[in-house]
Amino acid sequence: MRAMWKGSVSFGLVSIPIQLYAATENKNVSLRQVHEADGGRIQYKRFCTVDGQEVPYAEIAKGYELPDGEMVVLTDADLAELPLSTQRTIDVLEFVPLESIDPIQFDKTYYLEPQKNAVKPYLVLRDALQKASHVAVAKVAVRQRESLALLRVHGDVLVMTTMLWPDEVRTPDFPFLREDPPQVRPQELTMAGSLIDSLAEPVFESEKYSDHYRETLEAMIEAKVAGNETAKPGAVGAKADVLDLMAALEASVSAAKKTRKPVKAADTGEGEGTGESKAAAKKPATRTRRPKSA
């Protein structure tokens, strides 16, 4: 595993430098979108819906769309000004029983590894949590997003699970909840209880379950490989048409002539552009109005 984040756990006056690792990984079989006829990969390009031009990644900002369709543009400089008080710190707020937290708020889980000079306080917190049968509720900022989190003991290490904010959990609003409920007979409830008892186990053992779909998909891929049912796409952008090649060459020559600097720019008076300031003044978040559709 590779550390994805470095910071510290802070509770009271104690600070424990740690490294964060993703505790889970996605085992789904990765499938690409391809052309069925020849196996060529399907590619997508980022382009602007206003001018139709392809946009390089360096020129892409973030935008918040208003109800009327206007866009508030937020640059990296704008986002850097937002306060993240818990940046690089897992700030412990309180300790509560794990049963008091509804699992619906759980998001992603990470392992915490102590840095070399912090093993002892790490073990103190780990053992104290285990002895108290409590979890620590904290705030943390990961990837420019502040989240609630809980710290608990898993095996011999501390793990952190980020949590959704309360307003991110939807309230169920289904018609049947507002209707008079049908009468449930005692016999039906007893039968349901018997079914639960017949399938009940003292503990959950996840190892006895497996992803049958993934196993079958992997077997299918292996069978196709063994049967030589694979496609070898041709070189990307290869052109057999001579006319297309000539057109590309002519366009390249034309573009080169436009960008080439004149040899004696001073004599002709050419070559002096209007120029732009090297250090552009910082701009606040701007609103851009989308062109009205025809």
Side-chain angles (χ1 to χ4, degrees), residues 242-254:
V242 176
L243 293 179
D244 288 346
L245 176 60
M246 287 299 298
L249 290 172
E250 290 173 357
S252 300
V253 172
S254 177

Side-chain angles (χ1 to χ4, degrees), residues 2-21:
R2 300 177 64 179
M4 55 166 289
W5 188 87
K6 289 184 179 181
S8 62
V9 177
S10 175
F11 69 106
L13 299 177
V14 179
S15 181
I16 309 172
I18 55 92
Q19 297 182 141
L20 201 67
Y21 299 83

Side-chain angles (χ1 to χ4, degrees), residues 109-127:
T109 301
Y110 305 88
Y111 289 128
L112 271 60
E113 178 195 29
Q115 296 185 25
K116 290 183 178 181
N117 61 340
V119 174
K120 185 175 181 179
Y122 179 96
L123 296 181
V124 169
L125 177 59
R126 182 199 68 181
D127 295 346

Side-chain angles (χ1 to χ4, degrees), residues 176-248:
F176 82 92
L177 295 173
R178 297 185 293 272
E179 300 171 355
D180 293 333
Q183 188 67 34
V184 177
R185 296 184 299 168
Q187 299 92 327
E188 295 170 331
L189 197 56
T190 300
M191 184 61 68
S194 298
L195 177 59
I196 292 174
D197 291 339
S198 66
L199 296 175
E201 296 290 347
V203 294
F204 173 60
E205 298 176 356
S206 59
E207 295 80 9
K208 66 182 181 182
Y209 301 102
S210 62
D211 187 344
H212 181 63
Y213 174 85
R214 173 162 58 95
E215 292 171 350
T216 306
L217 177 58
E218 289 173 342
M220 179 186 294
I221 293 173
E222 291 174 1
K224 283 182 174 288
V225 172
N228 201 28
E229 296 182 51
T230 60
K232 188 174 183 179
V236 177
K239 296 289 185 180
D241 194 333
V242 176
L243 293 179
D244 288 346
L245 176 60
M246 287 299 298

